[in-house]
Amino acid sequence: MEWTGARYADSPTVESQSWIGAPPPRVWELVSDVELMPTLSSELQSVRWLDGATGPAPGARFEGRNRHPAIGEWTTTSHVLTCAPHREFSWAVKNPEAPAALWRFTLEPHDGGTLLHQWVRLGPGPSGLTYAIARAPEQEQQIVFVRLRELERSIGVTLDALKELAERPEEAGA
């Protein structure tokens, strides 16, 4: 990631993609399973559906418990925005009208497999990052840049893990 000098108010984004040798329905099964995501992340510790939801649907909510060495532990509620099977899954962290972050997976059939994109936009709503910036406003651009680099690395790890899981041969009798 190159230095952009972005500020939080710019709603900076990170996106990465990976080609996966599995069809979109298989990849969808994984990306739409929010309870799987903590096994693919060092920051996200656990997820549970709220309000009786058992899976993704527009308007469904889930709670995520997170941990970061520099920030500590926190819990957020996310709201599913888009749930288009085999194509797109997105959610807003905290307030869906002004999210702390907006996350999205998009899937495209490509060369006999799936081109999977993972994207995140920070802000415009308050988050742990806005509190860090408030403590050191003169370092805002550096704080944002460091967080974007962390997210870029994390997305890469997630995409690699999803690829490995999706391409794993089905077990006989499973």
Side-chain angles (χ1 to χ4, degrees):
M1 169 169 287
E2 293 183 26
W3 173 263
T4 63
R7 297 183 178 279
Y8 192 77
D10 298 330
S11 294
T13 63
V14 174
E15 180 175 11
S16 194
Q17 66 182 25
S18 178
W19 181 84
I20 299 176
R26 172 65 182 137
V27 176
W28 172 259
E29 210 178 287
L30 299 169
V31 301
S32 63
D33 182 357
V34 297
E35 293 168 313
L36 170 69
M37 293 301 149
T39 67
L40 312 179
S41 170
S42 60
E43 189 170 302
L44 182 61
Q45 301 299 298
S46 66
V47 172
R48 70 181 181 95
W49 287 105
L50 300 173
D51 310 320
T54 58
R61 298 180 329 129
F62 59 91
E63 178 182 86
R65 191 175 55 78
N66 302 274
R67 182 179 330 146
H68 187 282
I71 302 168
E73 293 189 17
W74 70 98
T75 302
T76 59
T77 298
S78 292
H79 306 257
V80 174
L81 300 177
T82 309
C83 184
H86 314 160
R87 293 182 321 204
E88 183 177 344
F89 179 52
S90 69
W91 63 96
V93 179
K94 295 186 177 181
N95 179 352
E97 302 302 316
L102 182 60
W103 288 88
R104 179 176 63 221
F105 283 107
T106 56
L107 300 79
E108 303 171 41
H110 186 74
D111 287 342
T114 304
L115 189 57
L116 177 63
H117 299 259
Q118 187 176 10
W119 174 90
V120 61
R121 183 189 75 207
L122 302 179
S127 70
L129 204 55
T130 56
Y131 299 117
I133 292 165
R135 288 193 304 269
E138 71 285 356
Q139 295 177 13
E140 177 179 5
Q141 291 169 301
Q142 183 174 350
I143 291 167
V144 169
F145 180 70
V146 167
R147 184 60 174 153
L148 291 173
R149 287 186 61 200
E150 287 177 340
L151 291 169
E152 182 179 54
R153 281 191 299 274
S154 177
I155 286 172
V157 168
T158 299
L159 291 174
D160 289 347
L162 289 166
K163 178 178 177 65
E164 191 276 323
L165 287 171
E167 293 177 351
R168 184 179 292 163
E170 295 292 328
E171 307 230 359

